[in-house]
């Protein structure tokens, strides 16, 4: 399927540091694998749910592994509103400087983060070989036409090129709902 990419919905989730895992789940705790995700080495954890606490409410979120150097909470705009967190920016994963924080509650403890809450910028993971096929470079911004019951063209989609990635576009649940992108859906990359 030339110029087509699988579109996956990335629901609200959190990436934790090893220190946060121990505080939230207890001394010596480690993340357990429930299911491997499409990106190599990434996994959904077993029973490690976290409750996010905001000024207006709480949300249960899944934890993704492996552990990371910084805590990062990825929400949709709807999630941020439900929690009452204003000013959550759209950012690429890992770009958390100057973002809002919140409280995370686990079965063994709580962690208050001063920053780390983002709305993930829609993006396409691809290998250098994929990038050549699509005629793009790392960090290049493209459009993607979603082939669904509610056809939609997403602008401002960043291409993230890395040899450790697997080809897939990630959108959040608000974007999925807007495009009706349920089940197996492909998008056409438009340069």
């Amino acid at each position: 399927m030339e110029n087509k990419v699988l579109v996956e919905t990335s629901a609200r989730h959190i990436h934790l540091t090893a220190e946060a895992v121990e505080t939230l789940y207890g001394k010596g705790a480690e993340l357990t694998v429930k299911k491997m995700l499409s990106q190599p080495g990434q996994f959904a954890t077993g029973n490690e749910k976290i409750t996010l606490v905001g000024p207006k409410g709480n949300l249960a979120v899944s934890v993704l592994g492996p552990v990371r150097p910084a805590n990062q909470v990825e929400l949709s705009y709807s999630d941020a509103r439900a929690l009452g967190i204003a000013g959550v920016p759209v950012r690429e994963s890992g770009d958390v400087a100057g973002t809002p924080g919140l409280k995370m509650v686990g079965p063994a403890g709580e962690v208050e983060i001063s920053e780390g809450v983002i709305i993930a910028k829609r993006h396409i993971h691809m290998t250098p070989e994929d990038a050549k096929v699509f005629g793009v470079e790392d960090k290049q911004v493209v459009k993607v036409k979603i082939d669904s019951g509610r056809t939609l063209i997403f602008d401002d989609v960043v291409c993230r090129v890395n040899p450790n990635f697997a080809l897939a576009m990630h959108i959040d649940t608000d974007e999925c709902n807007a495009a009706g992108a349920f089940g197996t859906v492909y998008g056409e990359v438009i340069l």
Side-chain angles (χ1 to χ4, degrees):
M1 289 195 284
E2 194 172 314
N3 276 8
K4 298 275 185 169
V5 60
L6 178 66
V7 178
E8 297 178 325
T9 302
S10 181
R12 68 178 82 110
H13 63 272
I14 186 165
H15 301 280
L16 297 171
T17 63
E19 179 183 56
V21 169
E22 285 206 347
T23 301
L24 294 164
Y25 299 108
K27 190 81 171 145
E30 294 183 0
L31 298 178
T32 58
V33 178
K34 176 181 179 184
K35 174 176 94 168
M36 296 306 292
L37 301 176
S38 66
Q39 294 307 306
Q42 303 294 305
F43 58 91
T45 61
N47 295 319
E48 292 95 349
K49 293 274 187 195
I50 293 292
T51 300
L52 302 179
V53 180
K56 283 187 175 177
N58 303 334
L59 281 176
V61 264
S62 297
V63 178
L64 300 187
V67 294
R68 290 209 178 167
N71 294 305
Q72 178 173 292
V73 178
E74 296 184 31
L75 302 173
S76 68
Y77 276 121
S78 295
D79 295 332
R81 276 197 308 277
L83 286 167
I85 302 173
V88 179
V90 175
R91 297 271 183 91
E92 284 190 56
S93 182
D95 182 8
V96 298
T99 61
L102 50 61
K103 186 195 310 187
M104 303 180 292
V105 179
E110 299 177 355
V111 173
E112 184 93 30
I113 57 173
S114 59
E115 63 182 18
V117 180
I118 66 169
I119 295 165
K121 185 177 183 88
R122 50 187 169 255
H123 56 278
I124 304 171
H125 291 280
M126 52 179 60
T127 65
E129 294 77 21
D130 295 326
K132 284 180 189 168
V133 169
F134 283 90
V136 298
E137 297 177 356
D138 188 39
K139 303 297 184 192
Q140 183 172 340
V141 174
V142 297
K143 295 178 182 180
V144 177
K145 180 180 178 184
I146 304 295
D147 301 326
S148 67
R150 290 180 86 182
T151 300
L152 184 110
I153 296 176
F154 284 114
D155 198 354
D156 200 28
V157 180
V158 67
C159 297
R160 298 178 57 199
V161 180
N162 185 296
N164 298 318
F165 287 163
L167 184 62
M169 177 178 173
H170 286 168
I171 58 176
D172 69 25
T173 51
D174 287 348
E175 294 166 325
C176 168
N177 289 336
F182 310 115
T184 304
V185 175
Y186 287 88
E188 176 187 355
V189 175
I190 302 168
L191 301 178

